[in-house]
Amino acid sequence: MSGPRALEDDPVSFQDKTLTCKDCGQEFIWTAGEQEFYASRGLQNAPTRCPADRAARRAQGGGRGGGGGGYGGGGGGGGGYNGGGGGYGGGQREMFTATCSNCGREARVPFQPRGDKPVYCSDCFEQRRPARRY
């Protein structure tokens, strides 16, 4: 049989695989269930770290950039300019000093000001921000 129907009748079967962690060198099992999960998410590469090292890396915030959300108690990159961690519970965010374009006070911001756009202190930023819709 050929065509799309043939693919539906012959589902991909996954088997447990033994992999070696690139961090600690220990062997670990990449289960058939994990492989199916990876495939369902469109991930094509096998993990290179054992589950323990992957969890440790996530806890340190390694590998992923900042951004919204965070998992669990992480703290993303948003919500005012009062610090906060990077995405996925990363370390302390680097803050930069600038002069508020509105009131002239010192502003502490989580990005390097380029000079081509206005920078506001947290008070002026809150005044300029449109009302939130829930």
Side-chain angles (χ1 to χ4, degrees):
M1 184 186 296
S2 64
R5 189 85 187 135
L7 294 175
E8 291 175 15
D9 291 340
D10 185 26
V12 177
S13 62
F14 297 100
Q15 295 181 356
D16 290 358
K17 293 182 181 179
T18 302
L19 304 175
T20 303
C21 178
K22 77 176 193 176
D23 285 351
C24 68
Q26 296 292 318
E27 289 188 344
F28 65 97
I29 303 295
W30 189 30
T31 67
E34 290 170 327
Q35 293 173 48
E36 190 173 351
F37 174 80
Y38 272 55
S40 73
R41 299 292 189 261
L43 302 172
Q44 298 176 349
N45 298 325
T48 56
R49 292 180 177 86
C50 66
D53 284 338
R54 276 185 270 161
R57 190 168 168 87
R58 269 195 304 275
Q60 292 174 347
R64 300 276 180 170
Y71 283 52
Y81 292 133
N82 57 358
Y88 301 98
Q92 187 65 25
R93 191 169 207 184
E94 184 177 2
M95 299 297 282
F96 299 89
T97 303
T99 302
C100 178
S101 299
N102 190 43
C103 69
R105 290 186 304 170
E106 181 181 287
R108 304 264 304 145
V109 294
F111 57 88
Q112 176 72 55
R114 297 185 317 209
D116 62 338
K117 293 184 179 179
V119 176
Y120 301 105
C121 65
S122 57
D123 292 336
C124 293
F125 179 78
E126 286 298 325
Q127 291 173 3
R128 298 182 63 84
R129 186 194 329 218
R132 290 188 179 196
R133 298 176 68 184
Y134 292 99

PDB file of all heavy atoms in Angstrom, residues 97-113:
ATOM      1  N   THR A  97      22.268  51.666  34.151  1.00  0.00           N
ATOM      2  CA  THR A  97      21.822  52.971  34.617  1.00  0.00           C
ATOM      3  C   THR A  97      21.661  53.898  33.423  1.00  0.00           C
ATOM      4  O   THR A  97      22.508  53.924  32.530  1.00  0.00           O
ATOM      5  CB  THR A  97      22.851  53.568  35.601  1.00  0.00           C
ATOM      6  OG1 THR A  97      23.019  52.653  36.669  1.00  0.00           O
ATOM      7  CG2 THR A  97      22.380  54.891  36.143  1.00  0.00           C
ATOM      8  N   ALA A  98      20.569  54.653  33.416  1.00  0.00           N
ATOM      9  CA  ALA A  98      20.296  55.616  32.351  1.00  0.00           C
ATOM     10  C   ALA A  98      19.562  56.805  32.977  1.00  0.00           C
ATOM     11  O   ALA A  98      19.151  56.758  34.134  1.00  0.00           O
ATOM     12  CB  ALA A  98      19.435  54.975  31.262  1.00  0.00           C
ATOM     13  N   THR A  99      19.389  57.862  32.210  1.00  0.00           N
ATOM     14  CA  THR A  99      18.636  59.025  32.655  1.00  0.00           C
ATOM     15  C   THR A  99      17.246  58.958  32.051  1.00  0.00           C
ATOM     16  O   THR A  99      17.096  58.763  30.839  1.00  0.00           O
ATOM     17  CB  THR A  99      19.338  60.321  32.202  1.00  0.00           C
ATOM     18  OG1 THR A  99      20.655  60.326  32.738  1.00  0.00           O
ATOM     19  CG2 THR A  99      18.587  61.540  32.698  1.00  0.00           C
ATOM     20  N   CYS A 100      16.229  59.104  32.894  1.00  0.00           N
ATOM     21  CA  CYS A 100      14.845  59.045  32.433  1.00  0.00           C
ATOM     22  C   CYS A 100      14.596  60.163  31.414  1.00  0.00           C
ATOM     23  O   CYS A 100      14.909  61.329  31.669  1.00  0.00           O
ATOM     24  CB  CYS A 100      13.885  59.172  33.613  1.00  0.00           C
ATOM     25  SG  CYS A 100      12.137  59.180  33.132  1.00  0.00           S
ATOM     26  N   SER A 101      14.034  59.809  30.273  1.00  0.00           N
ATOM     27  CA  SER A 101      13.751  60.780  29.213  1.00  0.00           C
ATOM     28  C   SER A 101      12.613  61.719  29.578  1.00  0.00           C
ATOM     29  O   SER A 101      12.447  62.764  28.951  1.00  0.00           O
ATOM     30  CB  SER A 101      13.399  60.044  27.918  1.00  0.00           C
ATOM     31  OG  SER A 101      14.472  59.248  27.501  1.00  0.00           O
ATOM     32  N   ASN A 102      11.820  61.369  30.608  1.00  0.00           N
ATOM     33  CA  ASN A 102      10.678  62.185  30.980  1.00  0.00           C
ATOM     34  C   ASN A 102      11.003  63.125  32.145  1.00  0.00           C
ATOM     35  O   ASN A 102      10.825  64.329  32.026  1.00  0.00           O
ATOM     36  CB  ASN A 102       9.495  61.278  31.337  1.00  0.00           C
ATOM     37  CG  ASN A 102       8.211  62.037  31.505  1.00  0.00           C
ATOM     38  OD1 ASN A 102       7.900  62.933  30.716  1.00  0.00           O
ATOM     39  ND2 ASN A 102       7.445  61.696  32.529  1.00  0.00           N
ATOM     40  N   CYS A 103      11.509  62.586  33.256  1.00  0.00           N
ATOM     41  CA  CYS A 103      11.701  63.404  34.453  1.00  0.00           C
ATOM     42  C   CYS A 103      13.166  63.708  34.758  1.00  0.00           C
ATOM     43  O   CYS A 103      13.453  64.530  35.617  1.00  0.00           O
ATOM     44  CB  CYS A 103      11.058  62.724  35.664  1.00  0.00           C
ATOM     45  SG  CYS A 103      11.900  61.221  36.194  1.00  0.00           S
ATOM     46  N   GLY A 104      14.100  63.037  34.094  1.00  0.00           N
ATOM     47  CA  GLY A 104      15.515  63.304  34.291  1.00  0.00           C
ATOM     48  C   GLY A 104      16.151  62.579  35.464  1.00  0.00           C
ATOM     49  O   GLY A 104      17.351  62.711  35.695  1.00  0.00           O
ATOM     50  N   ARG A 105      15.373  61.787  36.212  1.00  0.00           N
ATOM     51  CA  ARG A 105      15.947  61.030  37.324  1.00  0.00           C
ATOM     52  C   ARG A 105      16.721  59.826  36.794  1.00  0.00           C
ATOM     53  O   ARG A 105      16.582  59.443  35.640  1.00  0.00           O
ATOM     54  CB  ARG A 105      14.843  60.529  38.258  1.00  0.00           C
ATOM     55  CG  ARG A 105      14.179  61.633  39.057  1.00  0.00           C
ATOM     56  CD  ARG A 105      13.207  61.076  40.066  1.00  0.00           C
ATOM     57  NE  ARG A 105      12.210  60.224  39.384  1.00  0.00           N
ATOM     58  CZ  ARG A 105      11.349  59.450  40.001  1.00  0.00           C
ATOM     59  NH1 ARG A 105      11.336  59.381  41.312  1.00  0.00           N
ATOM     60  NH2 ARG A 105      10.487  58.725  39.323  1.00  0.00           N
ATOM     61  N   GLU A 106      17.495  59.212  37.696  1.00  0.00           N
ATOM     62  CA  GLU A 106      18.221  57.995  37.328  1.00  0.00           C
ATOM     63  C   GLU A 106      17.226  56.864  37.144  1.00  0.00           C
ATOM     64  O   GLU A 106      16.295  56.695  37.929  1.00  0.00           O
ATOM     65  CB  GLU A 106      19.220  57.628  38.427  1.00  0.00           C
ATOM     66  CG  GLU A 106      20.022  56.396  38.100  1.00  0.00           C
ATOM     67  CD  GLU A 106      20.998  56.028  39.203  1.00  0.00           C
ATOM     68  OE1 GLU A 106      22.009  56.730  39.349  1.00  0.00           O
ATOM     69  OE2 GLU A 106      20.721  55.048  39.912  1.00  0.00           O
ATOM     70  N   ALA A 107      17.426  56.090  36.092  1.00  0.00           N
ATOM     71  CA  ALA A 107      16.576  54.937  35.824  1.00  0.00           C
ATOM     72  C   ALA A 107      17.456  53.694  35.764  1.00  0.00           C
ATOM     73  O   ALA A 107      18.521  53.720  35.160  1.00  0.00           O
ATOM     74  CB  ALA A 107      15.836  55.118  34.494  1.00  0.00           C
ATOM     75  N   ARG A 108      17.005  52.606  36.406  1.00  0.00           N
ATOM     76  CA  ARG A 108      17.711  51.330  36.346  1.00  0.00           C
ATOM     77  C   ARG A 108      16.895  50.425  35.438  1.00  0.00           C
ATOM     78  O   ARG A 108      15.726  50.150  35.722  1.00  0.00           O
ATOM     79  CB  ARG A 108      17.824  50.721  37.742  1.00  0.00           C
ATOM     80  CG  ARG A 108      18.478  51.626  38.755  1.00  0.00           C
ATOM     81  CD  ARG A 108      19.947  51.408  38.965  1.00  0.00           C
ATOM     82  NE  ARG A 108      20.233  50.043  39.342  1.00  0.00           N
ATOM     83  CZ  ARG A 108      21.336  49.397  38.956  1.00  0.00           C
ATOM     84  NH1 ARG A 108      22.221  49.986  38.212  1.00  0.00           N
ATOM     85  NH2 ARG A 108      21.549  48.165  39.327  1.00  0.00           N
ATOM     86  N   VAL A 109      17.489  49.988  34.344  1.00  0.00           N
ATOM     87  CA  VAL A 109      16.766  49.215  33.341  1.00  0.00           C
ATOM     88  C   VAL A 109      17.502  47.913  33.024  1.00  0.00           C
ATOM     89  O   VAL A 109      18.718  47.840  33.145  1.00  0.00           O
ATOM     90  CB  VAL A 109      16.559  50.045  32.046  1.00  0.00           C
ATOM     91  CG1 VAL A 109      15.639  51.219  32.294  1.00  0.00           C
ATOM     92  CG2 VAL A 109      17.888  50.525  31.480  1.00  0.00           C
ATOM     93  N   PRO A 110      16.762  46.866  32.609  1.00  0.00           N
ATOM     94  CA  PRO A 110      17.368  45.555  32.356  1.00  0.00           C
ATOM     95  C   PRO A 110      17.900  45.389  30.935  1.00  0.00           C
ATOM     96  O   PRO A 110      17.959  44.280  30.423  1.00  0.00           O
ATOM     97  CB  PRO A 110      16.212  44.596  32.630  1.00  0.00           C
ATOM     98  CG  PRO A 110      15.018  45.367  32.193  1.00  0.00           C
ATOM     99  CD  PRO A 110      15.308  46.797  32.593  1.00  0.00           C
ATOM    100  N   PHE A 111      18.258  46.480  30.281  1.00  0.00           N
ATOM    101  CA  PHE A 111      18.804  46.407  28.928  1.00  0.00           C
ATOM    102  C   PHE A 111      19.818  47.522  28.758  1.00  0.00           C
ATOM    103  O   PHE A 111      19.815  48.502  29.490  1.00  0.00           O
ATOM    104  CB  PHE A 111      17.689  46.530  27.873  1.00  0.00           C
ATOM    105  CG  PHE A 111      16.884  47.792  28.002  1.00  0.00           C
ATOM    106  CD1 PHE A 111      17.267  48.966  27.362  1.00  0.00           C
ATOM    107  CD2 PHE A 111      15.731  47.820  28.773  1.00  0.00           C
ATOM    108  CE1 PHE A 111      16.529  50.135  27.495  1.00  0.00           C
ATOM    109  CE2 PHE A 111      14.984  48.988  28.914  1.00  0.00           C
ATOM    110  CZ  PHE A 111      15.392  50.141  28.278  1.00  0.00           C
ATOM    111  N   GLN A 112      20.688  47.370  27.785  1.00  0.00           N
ATOM    112  CA  GLN A 112      21.700  48.388  27.508  1.00  0.00           C
ATOM    113  C   GLN A 112      21.048  49.467  26.645  1.00  0.00           C
ATOM    114  O   GLN A 112      20.683  49.206  25.501  1.00  0.00           O
ATOM    115  CB  GLN A 112      22.876  47.760  26.752  1.00  0.00           C
ATOM    116  CG  GLN A 112      23.945  48.754  26.335  1.00  0.00           C
ATOM    117  CD  GLN A 112      24.755  49.254  27.521  1.00  0.00           C
ATOM    118  OE1 GLN A 112      25.304  48.478  28.259  1.00  0.00           O
ATOM    119  NE2 GLN A 112      24.822  50.553  27.679  1.00  0.00           N
ATOM    120  N   PRO A 113      20.844  50.694  27.167  1.00  0.00           N
ATOM    121  CA  PRO A 113      20.235  51.751  26.359  1.00  0.00           C
ATOM    122  C   PRO A 113      21.113  52.079  25.154  1.00  0.00           C
ATOM    123  O   PRO A 113      22.335  52.176  25.269  1.00  0.00           O
ATOM    124  CB  PRO A 113      20.160  52.940  27.322  1.00  0.00           C
ATOM    125  CG  PRO A 113      20.232  52.340  28.686  1.00  0.00           C
ATOM    126  CD  PRO A 113      21.093  51.122  28.535  1.00  0.00           C
TER     127      PRO A 113
END
